[in-house]
Amino acid sequence: MPQKFMKTDVVVIGGGVTGTGILLDLSLRGIDAILIEKEDLANGASGRFHGLLHSGGRYAVSDPESAKECIEENLILKKIMPDAIEDTGGLFIQLIEDDDTFVFEWLKGCQKAGIPVKEISWEEIREPHLTDRVKRAFLVPDASIDGFLMVNLLAEAAKERGARVKTYTEVLEIIAEDSRVSGVRVLDKRANQEITIQANIVVNAAGAWVDAVAESAGIALPIQPNQGSLLVFHHRLTNRVINRLRKPGDADIFVPAGPVTILGTTSIKPEHIDEPSASLEEIERLLDIGAELLPNLKDHRILRSYAGIRPLYSSDTVDEGRDISRSFHIINHEKDGLKGFISVLGGKLTTYRLMAEKTVDEVCGMLGIDVPGITADTKISRTIKGITGQLLCDCESVGTNDLEYWLNTNEALGLNDLRRRTRLGMGTCQGTFCGYRAAGYLTDRGRDGLEELNSFLYERNKGTRLSKGQQTVENALNRAIYLGLFNLNERGPKDG
Amino acid sequence: MDRTIQKEVVVIGSGMAGLMATVVLQELGKDVTLLANGMGSLAHFSGTVDLLGSEEFMSPWSGIGNLRDTERQHPYTSVTDEEISKALEIYQEVLGKYGIEYVTLGSNVFLPTAIGTRKPSYLVPKTMLPQGKDYTVVDFTQFRDWKGSLIHKGLREHYHGLELCSIELPHVKSLTLDAVSLARYFEKAEWRKEFISILRKQKLKGSLLMPAVLGIRGHEEIVAELEAALGHQVIEVPTLPPSAPGRRVYEAFMQRLKPNIEILYNNRVLGIEEGLKLRVSRPGRQWCYGAKSVIWAGGGLLGGGLVPAKDGLRDTVLGITITEGWQAGSQPIKGLYIAGSQLGYYDWPLEKSGAGVALSTGYKAAMLAGGGYYE
């Protein structure tokens, strides 16, 4: 296999919000960097989370430190990333049976963290699907956030400033000489080419895979992967984010996201981290508990379910699941006998910017550079607006110009990669119609559209197989078209 | 107050199975009422009558014979080959009178699809049957539900020397143009003239593959006009719904039924009780129908006769949850016959048996309900 060499100051491993956030921060401070991601950007938890920009309210009692970080970052991100955020506002709802003492503690916690809370009356709630068994309701600055778009905007902004991004590229080895990192050896999976990247510092921000990456440098990290599963409903069932006001548990948050609503989450030990999926038990649990807030929940159509992995880090091995702090940790592995290697653990999407800034502060210290971070004041905007080409996806309003924009940044992007960047196929039809049209557009560009469509439909169908008999009507339409009309039997997904 | 209207036979559902059943009852001279909620799954119907298709056999009849031996609950076990043939004959006659000629070669024929694959079918509109040696895919730049490059790329391995041409349709500006709306353009003679003059400037070879949008009313005349003016055979290929050929089928059946059959639209059946009493909701009020026999052909998940339930599928009229559709020949209530895609134990998209099962079980149900076998 032909070898290839590259050289940079910092290699960032992981194309989630943490990694791309670090990459942008590095590029803004003038430090050359290359990001390595083994799949596509936002393939892990950054693309499989709740879509919630926390106000901090959820952690006001259990995790005051995270609560304070959340509200500070919430206000910053609304300013710097307006295109990826819909400022819906949020509600905390206490039901008649919920504990008054907790509400008291919660109000105290919010005040301490600096979270603005406003109690509103029943008339002011204006959420038609909400149960009438509400005791008290409080407004907080929660918001809805598009994780896919956010990660891609960060990566594009970093690239504009000279950073390099290599997706579908896997780390084979962290190279060290005399207890000091000198680079990484990686495999570009699409070109099937090994690359040796010479670097002074390697930042491990691999999320659920952070321990695996550390292990390739011979370092053990105590990670507790924790699965959260979510359900997507085919309408916007709520106007605002709706939280249950009690001790954080399962299925107590609804987030309106574009044309759909996401209910979550659960907290279980995952069976595997590479392709997490929601179990039937989790789905039923989500529906049962969710119905306490939205009583007619089961009458609404579920588009799909999905699951993400929280890479929780606990130095205290007794803690489990929801008891582990959602705060983040930056570990300089010099203490483990390896200089130039940092791991970033824990944390949450809402606080990615702060995590990135603290990490790059550490990197600057190691490189002996004294440049302050400016991400809190750097606005990142989307450069395309509206439909100019052909309209492909009616649900999410995606046109050929949206695909063209991303293909111009990287011609190798597949239909699934484009879905994560544009939201193509994420609405009600789940790709049945727009998948066809996008496949045609890719064929126009000289690609194998049919092959792309096959893997796109396969990915889409994975999340819609809730159980036998519970397939949605849209899923039946998808089969009627792709099997019945187009005869994709041989090559297409066989869902049953 | 009991305002029950008494009927001899009530057919619920205006999809393929319900329409077929109603025509048969009409033939048997029955007093029949058709309760229609909407157009049902005909909006997704390609217009080709698939009986059973696979790469492994060319004759659907031998495939059906094998099915009857291996899949004992399959809907085809409840009908004979003669009954299937009779249903196809009636269908062909209804569509023929409307002006759509259907043809069969006696075995399956592989038709080009809008995705560049090929699909086996049995009884097909003459305008969909590929004939000749050379072909050109005609792409319309403003029509997003028919992607010429995709079709061309896939079909190249089946049709040697397949060409592709792309034209801009006159006066079409909509971003969301669908097949049925485009079919309405083709019904206008002036517009067709402009279309023809644009297409004549293109280099065309052999038969022209176009999306199934070539008019709803007067479809065959439109195709004949295009062929004469262009000097090429035109072949229609079904594409994404809403389907223009499905609309033609609906109109053909309506033309046949309307003169002497009562058809009530926007009538949703809420429930059915012992003694065949139907509770019906129509805009503004509720109503009751009584009948000696009822044919329940409201469709499966797509048609809305069945809806997903926690542990299976719930029948929206009978209120019963079943695991995977009704078994062919079952009568949940005496005098109630079930036809079409509410039947379970078959997978029509996979088998390519949708229209075949709908037509033959609709025929059979009507014969049983109307006493056709005993007169």
Side-chain angles (χ1 to χ4, degrees):
Chain A
M1 192 188 292
Q3 277 277 351
K4 198 179 150 187
F5 289 92
M6 291 169 88
K7 195 170 179 260
T8 185
D9 291 327
V10 181
V11 167
V12 181
I13 300 167
V17 73
T18 315
T20 51
I22 290 169
L23 190 73
L24 176 62
D25 196 316
L26 285 165
S27 68
L28 284 168
R29 299 197 212 193
I31 300 168
D32 191 58
I34 298 176
L35 183 142
I36 302 298
E37 161 58 49
K38 72 177 170 60
E39 300 294 332
D40 185 24
L41 296 177
N43 179 64
S46 300
R48 300 173 206 240
F49 78 121
H50 209 148
L52 170 58
L53 182 67
H54 280 279
S55 61
R58 184 163 176 83
Y59 306 112
V61 176
S62 60
D63 195 348
E65 193 190 342
S66 288
K68 192 160 178 298
E69 285 169 4
C70 280
I71 184 61
E72 286 169 5
E73 290 300 309
N74 174 296
L75 299 174
I76 292 171
L77 295 189
K78 281 178 186 168
K79 261 188 276 169
I80 64 169
M81 281 265 208
D83 293 339
I85 295 168
E86 187 189 343
D87 199 354
T88 57
L91 276 175
F92 273 79
I93 300 289
Q94 182 197 12
L95 298 186
I96 294 165
E97 66 266 32
D98 294 339
D99 180 15
D100 286 329
T101 342
F102 184 82
V103 177
F104 178 71
E105 289 294 316
W106 182 78
L107 284 166
K108 233 170 49 183
C110 286
Q111 197 187 10
K112 219 172 145 201
I115 302 164
V117 174
K118 186 188 166 216
E119 181 157 14
I120 59 173
S121 67
W122 172 246
E123 289 71 34
E124 289 170 294
I125 294 178
R126 293 196 299 268
E127 293 287 355
H129 291 297
L130 188 66
T131 172
D132 51 13
R133 297 175 53 262
V134 174
K135 192 167 178 188
R136 297 179 79 179
F138 301 91
L139 269 179
V140 295
D142 283 340
S144 168
I145 184 161
D146 182 341
F148 296 111
L149 181 59
M150 188 176 197
V151 168
N152 281 287
L153 288 175
L154 289 168
E156 286 310 303
K159 277 159 75 180
E160 276 169 28
R161 292 163 175 87
R164 285 166 282 178
V165 175
K166 289 203 70 68
T167 54
Y168 295 98
T169 299
E170 202 165 13
V171 174
L172 299 174
E173 184 194 357
I174 311 278
I175 311 166
E177 287 162 26
D178 303 330
S179 309
R180 162 146 212 109
V181 163
S182 66
V184 290
R185 196 161 58 82
V186 300
L187 175 68
D188 180 334
K189 294 196 284 188
R190 285 189 169 169
N192 194 25
Q193 184 176 48
E194 260 188 50
I195 308 169
T196 301
I197 307 174
Q198 196 186 327
N200 298 319
I201 302 219
V202 173
V203 178
N204 173 14
W209 298 269
V210 72
D211 51 344
V213 170
E215 209 185 309
S216 67
I219 293 166
L221 279 177
I223 288 298
Q224 286 194 30
N226 179 271
Q227 172 167 318
S229 292
L230 303 105
L231 293 180
V232 185
F233 291 87
H234 88 308
H235 271 317
R236 230 169 133 114
L237 302 177
T238 68
N239 297 309
R240 288 162 287 204
V241 174
I242 296 197
N243 303 265
R244 180 82 175 264
L245 181 44
R246 64 174 179 191
K247 188 174 182 294
D250 286 353
D252 48 11
I253 307 179
F254 288 88
V255 178
V260 300
T261 305
I262 304 172
L263 163 65
T265 59
T266 56
S267 176
I268 62 163
K269 275 190 182 158
E271 280 180 30
H272 37 75
I273 63 169
D274 281 323
E275 288 211 353
S277 65
S279 69
L280 265 180
E281 292 73 33
E282 284 181 285
I283 289 167
E284 298 211 342
R285 191 168 162 69
L286 286 167
L287 284 172
D288 285 340
I289 305 177
E292 292 174 17
L293 278 173
L294 269 54
N296 64 358
L297 188 64
K298 290 175 189 178
D299 298 336
H300 293 284
R301 196 201 299 166
I302 301 168
L303 287 180
R304 57 192 292 105
S305 61
Y306 64 97
I309 303 292
R310 307 177 183 97
L312 299 182
Y313 171 68
S314 172
S315 39
D316 183 351
T317 49
V318 204
D319 288 351
E320 250 187 67
R322 296 206 188 277
D323 296 329
I324 299 179
S325 167
R326 298 300 200 254
S327 192
F328 59 86
H329 306 267
I330 297 163
I331 300 173
N332 186 335
H333 293 293
E334 195 170 340
K335 70 173 179 60
D336 302 308
L338 185 60
K339 285 183 192 163
F341 188 47
I342 312 177
S343 290
V344 188
L345 298 89
K348 48 201 306 72
L349 190 121
T350 301
T351 57
Y352 88 88
R353 193 208 61 84
L354 184 64
M355 260 193 280
E357 188 170 271
K358 292 270 158 78
T359 306
V360 179
D361 286 348
E362 182 80 21
V363 171
C364 285
M366 292 157 81
L367 291 170
I369 301 172
D370 184 18
V371 188
I374 53 164
T375 50
D377 301 312
T378 306
K379 190 171 168 181
I380 304 157
S381 276
R382 206 180 172 191
T383 43
I384 44 167
K385 277 258 153 68
I387 302 295
T388 52
Q390 199 168 47
L391 179 63
L392 301 173
C393 174
D394 298 15
C395 309
E396 298 280 356
S397 201
V398 181
T400 47
N401 58 318
D402 286 293
L403 301 198
E404 192 183 347
Y405 172 84
W406 291 110
L407 288 171
N408 287 343
T409 68
N410 179 2
E411 181 60 38
L413 295 173
L415 204 43
N416 282 314
D417 305 330
L418 291 166
R419 167 176 63 82
R420 284 185 285 267
R421 283 162 179 77
T422 62
R423 297 189 62 84
L424 176 100
M426 292 210 191
T428 307
C429 89
Q430 292 284 290
T432 298
F433 289 82
C434 53
Y436 175 84
R437 298 164 189 155
Y441 174 72
L442 289 178
T443 313
D444 288 342
R445 291 185 67 119
R447 301 264 293 269
D448 189 344
L450 190 57
E451 201 52 54
E452 300 271 356
L453 180 61
N454 255 312
S455 84
F456 176 78
L457 292 172
Y458 177 73
E459 280 295 319
R460 290 279 78 188
N461 285 340
K462 265 202 302 201
T464 57
R465 275 175 285 177
L466 297 187
S467 73
K468 204 177 178 69
Q470 269 196 332
Q471 284 170 353
T472 62
V473 177
E474 286 296 336
N475 204 16
L477 179 59
N478 185 292
R479 294 185 88 245
I481 292 174
Y482 287 99
L483 291 176
L485 187 60
F486 293 154
N487 196 21
L488 269 178
N489 293 14
E490 309 303 324
R491 313 170 60 170
K494 288 193 172 95
D495 51 348
Chain B
M1 189 180 68
D2 187 9
R3 297 202 290 184
T4 301
I5 301 168
Q6 203 61 35
K7 294 282 169 187
E8 201 172 357
V9 191
V10 171
V11 177
I12 310 166
S14 57
M16 197 73 120
L19 291 174
M20 174 50 104
T22 312
V23 167
V24 172
L25 289 162
Q26 182 188 31
E27 294 294 300
L28 292 172
K30 296 288 152 186
D31 165 31
V32 51
T33 289
L34 172 63
L35 298 180
N37 190 27
M39 237 183 86
S41 51
L42 279 176
H44 311 117
F45 177 50
S46 67
T48 69
V49 180
D50 310 343
L51 287 190
L52 195 70
S54 156
E55 307 282 335
E56 281 140 37
F57 52 79
M58 286 308 284
S59 166
W61 302 106
S62 67
I64 289 170
N66 289 337
L67 256 187
R68 291 200 186 101
D69 293 337
T70 52
E71 316 243 337
R72 294 302 174 87
Q73 291 170 304
H74 196 285
Y76 275 143
T77 58
S78 70
V79 289
T80 63
D81 284 0
E82 288 68 38
E83 285 163 340
I84 299 172
S85 298
K86 186 75 192 144
L88 296 189
E89 209 177 282
I90 297 170
Y91 177 86
Q92 220 170 334
E93 194 237 330
V94 170
L95 269 293
K97 287 223 169 106
Y98 176 75
I100 310 269
E101 187 187 341
Y102 271 72
V103 289
T104 173
L105 306 178
S107 63
N108 277 344
V109 51
F110 279 86
L111 304 178
T113 75
I115 206 162
T117 56
R118 295 192 313 156
K119 185 190 98 158
S121 188
Y122 182 74
L123 181 67
V124 302
K126 196 185 71 183
T127 52
M128 289 191 186
L129 194 68
Q131 289 170 37
K133 200 161 120 304
D134 297 322
Y135 296 89
T136 302
V137 179
V138 183
D139 178 75
F140 305 149
T141 53
Q142 304 105 307
F143 186 42
R144 58 190 185 154
D145 291 345
W146 169 258
K147 302 299 281 187
S149 60
L150 185 66
I151 302 154
H152 179 252
K153 191 175 167 71
L155 284 179
R156 264 183 318 189
E157 58 177 288
H158 302 292
Y159 303 104
H160 296 291
L162 181 69
E163 301 287 332
L164 171 65
C165 88
S166 187
I167 60 161
E168 194 176 317
L169 296 168
H171 311 298
V172 173
K173 296 219 161 47
S174 165
L175 283 178
T176 55
L177 182 77
D178 64 47
V180 168
S181 316
L182 184 50
R184 297 300 183 198
Y185 280 92
F186 275 94
E187 288 175 3
K188 294 180 189 130
E190 283 303 309
W191 189 88
R192 281 202 304 276
K193 257 187 215 157
E194 291 187 55
F195 172 80
I196 288 165
S197 74
I198 292 171
L199 201 51
R200 282 174 91 158
K201 291 181 195 130
Q202 297 290 317
K203 219 180 107 217
L204 302 170
K205 197 177 95 180
S207 304
L208 310 179
L209 300 179
M210 291 194 203
V213 297
L214 306 178
I216 290 163
R217 294 210 176 97
H219 161 67
E220 283 202 349
E221 290 76 16
I222 291 168
V223 171
E225 181 192 307
L226 295 179
E227 288 181 337
L230 294 166
H232 292 268
Q233 200 201 0
V234 172
I235 295 154
E236 260 202 336
V237 181
T239 190
L240 289 179
S243 161
R247 192 64 70 93
R248 291 171 202 148
V249 172
Y250 184 77
E251 293 201 356
F253 274 92
M254 286 301 148
Q255 179 183 296
R256 168 65 161 260
L257 295 171
K258 260 186 184 160
N260 49 19
I261 296 291
E262 185 182 34
I263 301 170
L264 301 168
Y265 300 95
N266 293 312
N267 275 252
R268 201 158 64 83
V269 181
L270 302 173
I272 184 162
E273 287 149 29
E274 284 293 337
L276 297 182
K277 198 164 143 187
L278 304 168
R279 277 183 298 111
V280 175
S281 146
R282 46 211 269 192
R285 61 181 110 174
Q286 286 198 14
W287 218 263
C288 280
Y289 285 97
K292 284 189 206 142
S293 319
V294 171
I295 293 176
W296 172 213
L301 278 175
L302 260 187
L306 303 176
V307 291
K310 200 169 171 186
D311 29 335
L313 299 166
R314 194 170 57 80
D315 185 301
T316 53
V317 161
L318 294 163
I320 301 169
T321 297
I322 40 187
T323 47
E324 61 163 299
W326 292 101
Q327 194 175 339
S330 59
Q331 276 186 62
I333 299 176
K334 195 173 171 339
L336 177 90
Y337 303 90
I338 294 170
S341 50
Q342 278 147 294
L343 297 172
Y345 308 97
Y346 79 123
D347 186 352
W348 69 262
L350 198 65
E351 295 171 3
K352 318 291 178 275
S353 61
V357 167
L359 290 175
S360 60
T361 59
Y363 170 82
K364 175 81 179 226
M367 290 296 276
L368 292 170
Y373 289 114
Y374 315 108
E375 282 171 15

